[in-house]
Amino acid sequence: MKLSDFKFEVPKKLISLYPSENRDESRLMVVHKDTGEIEHRIFKDIIEYFDEGDVFVTNNTKVFPARLYGNKEKTGAKIEVFLLRELNQELRLWDVLVDPARKIRVGNKLYFGDSDLVAEVIDNTTSRGRTIRFLFDGTDEEFYKTIDALGETPILKEYIERKVEEEDRARYQTIYAEHVGAVAAPTAGLHFTPHLLKRLEIKGVEVSPITLHIGLGTFRQVDVEDLTKHKMDSENYDIPEPTVELVNKALDNKKRVVSVGTTSLKTVESSVTANNRLKASSGWTDKFIIPPYDFKIANALITNFHMPESTLLMTTAAFGGYDLIMKAYQEAVKEKYKFFSYGDAMLII
């Protein structure tokens, strides 16, 4: 498929700047793959579509406050430093993006707030990318607490055009977030509440986690028309044995395996046995799912409404079928569904 196949217009007013007041009261579009039927519901109605023995696979990655603001040594120029990934914990080496990049060269030092945190630039990686080493005398725990205190929740400013607010720390995080490592939230999971999870449990639906630490590469602009030539950045994942057992039992019993988000979907499809069952593993995946694709594990998907020409939309179209998903997106615009991270949800079954 081509990049231009995923081009359409989303009115700016449909990009949600804030989440719904209650997580599970976002709107929910239900798309039926077999009939093409489209229903309009509320997210907490999702429980009506699942039964005992079905399994929801969630991504329990936790977003850390990855956007820091520092000042350049000598000039005092304000520099934004976006933490991408920790390269070496002992040496406190990180891959970062800097802005404005033209002002930052190897050997420069950056000072952060009134804290004892200083960073030295030790390498260039891309036009905006740098490798930095934090200079900090405290313990690892004190270091991460300092980052947490100084950092800002990394919602994507190019889409959510407002300042980050304190409320974003809680709302741009799933209620089951556990393992720190993501620079963006697995947004399909933002709609779940403790009450809804309890209702699913009472109904006999299992909810079991994987971990995929989402990087900015997931949102990187695709700049090639031939999608087979696009290269995804690698992201670290872990699929634990208890989740594998639940998923494979559900598949054996012809039950639903529901990926909560395209990140969960990509993860489970990255670790498949020869007889099309999930296997426990951990490592890195750069899997890029585009139509057509034969899914081996998940048979239902919960996802948000994604931006045009995004890799997330392409994966959604692979799961639901290109024609049906593009029709659903036309319907979403017509019915004024909210798009992007804080927007509404879609269930594909």
Side-chain angles (χ1 to χ4, degrees):
M1 299 210 75
K2 296 183 171 61
L3 177 63
S4 53
D5 293 330
F6 295 91
K7 189 175 180 64
F8 63 94
E9 292 298 321
V10 177
K12 197 170 180 179
K13 65 184 179 182
L14 296 186
I15 299 175
S16 189
L17 299 183
Y18 293 92
S20 62
E21 187 173 344
N22 298 308
R23 288 176 182 263
D24 61 2
E25 291 181 358
S26 301
R27 296 171 71 191
L28 175 71
M29 177 185 284
V30 183
V31 179
H32 296 265
K33 287 201 289 185
D34 53 349
T35 64
E37 180 190 2
I38 294 174
E39 298 180 85
H40 304 290
R41 307 293 298 270
I42 300 297
F43 191 82
K44 60 187 176 184
D45 297 337
I46 203 165
I47 193 168
E48 297 175 21
Y49 296 88
F50 300 99
D51 295 303
E52 184 175 355
D54 293 336
V55 178
F56 280 42
V57 180
T58 57
N59 183 1
N60 66 6
T61 189
K62 190 170 188 177
V63 179
F64 67 96
R67 184 177 279 116
L68 302 174
Y69 293 97
N71 295 98
K72 189 179 172 186
E73 183 182 30
K74 295 179 182 175
T75 68
K78 187 177 181 181
I79 306 295
E80 178 183 305
V81 177
F82 195 103
L83 305 178
L84 292 177
R85 64 182 65 83
E86 188 175 42
L87 299 174
N88 185 304
Q89 184 177 22
E90 187 179 353
L91 297 177
R92 298 204 168 109
L93 292 179
W94 286 74
D95 260 347
V96 303
L97 297 176
V98 293
D99 188 27
R102 68 184 184 280
K103 294 186 176 181
I104 299 300
R105 295 183 172 85
V106 172
N108 289 158
K109 285 186 179 176
L110 301 170
Y111 294 82
F112 297 91
D114 298 324
S115 71
D116 296 328
L117 190 64
V118 180
E120 182 181 12
V121 181
I122 63 171
D123 198 7
N124 297 321
T125 53
T126 62
S127 59
R128 286 183 57 213
R130 304 289 186 272
T131 300
I132 66 172
R133 177 172 58 231
F134 283 106
L135 310 174
F136 185 80
D137 289 333
T139 65
D140 286 345
E141 184 180 0
E142 289 168 338
F143 171 71
Y144 292 120
K145 276 187 177 176
T146 301
I147 294 289
D148 191 67
L150 292 173
E152 183 179 276
T153 301
I155 58 175
L156 299 180
K157 291 178 177 178
E158 58 266 45
Y159 298 123
I160 298 181
E161 296 178 357
R162 64 167 172 82
K163 288 189 174 178
V164 174
E165 300 173 13
E166 186 57 35
E167 185 185 271
D168 291 310
R169 283 208 172 221
R171 289 307 301 269
Y172 195 63
Q173 197 83 269
T174 63
I175 62 165
Y176 45 73
E178 185 178 355
H179 299 296
V180 175
V183 301
T187 55
L190 297 180
H191 305 284
F192 286 89
T193 62
H195 182 64
L196 180 54
L197 290 177
K198 190 66 180 176
R199 289 176 65 209
L200 287 166
E201 180 189 330
I202 291 169
K203 198 168 182 182
V205 176
E206 300 279 1
V207 178
S208 198
I210 56 87
T211 306
L212 179 95
H213 292 314
I214 303 163
L216 273 187
T218 293
F219 303 93
R220 184 160 53 88
Q221 184 177 348
V222 179
D223 54 11
V224 289
E225 179 69 0
D226 180 355
L227 298 183
T228 62
K229 290 183 166 55
H230 179 70
K231 184 85 166 75
M232 294 288 283
D233 292 351
S234 291
E235 296 166 314
N236 190 239
Y237 76 91
D238 179 66
I239 303 172
E241 188 61 47
T243 296
V244 169
E245 291 173 6
L246 286 170
V247 165
N248 289 341
K249 181 181 176 184
L251 291 174
D252 291 342
N253 293 331
K254 295 187 167 37
K255 295 290 185 177
R256 296 235 187 240
V257 174
V258 190
S259 277
V260 180
T262 55
T263 61
S264 296
L265 184 66
K266 173 168 68 173
T267 305
V268 297
E269 294 295 325
S270 295
S271 188
V272 181
T273 67
N275 62 341
N276 293 339
R277 290 295 181 265
L278 186 61
K279 66 179 177 183
S281 66
S282 61
W284 296 82
T285 179
D286 60 357
K287 196 171 188 65
F288 180 30
I289 299 175
I290 59 175
Y293 183 87
D294 180 19
F295 289 87
K296 306 294 194 301
I297 305 297
N299 49 41
L301 173 66
I302 301 167
T303 190
N304 274 25
F305 287 93
H306 307 296
M307 299 307 292
E309 300 183 313
S310 66
T311 61
L312 304 170
L313 172 59
M314 294 163 192
T315 297
T316 302
F319 190 86
Y322 173 81
D323 291 337
L324 179 56
I325 293 305
M326 298 313 286
K327 175 188 170 189
Y329 267 65
Q330 289 175 354
E331 180 92 352
V333 171
K334 178 183 157 197
E335 295 294 327
K336 296 182 170 55
Y337 276 76
K338 293 292 188 179
F339 279 67
F340 202 53
S341 299
Y342 278 149
D344 295 316
M346 174 186 284
L347 168 64
I348 307 171
I349 51 175

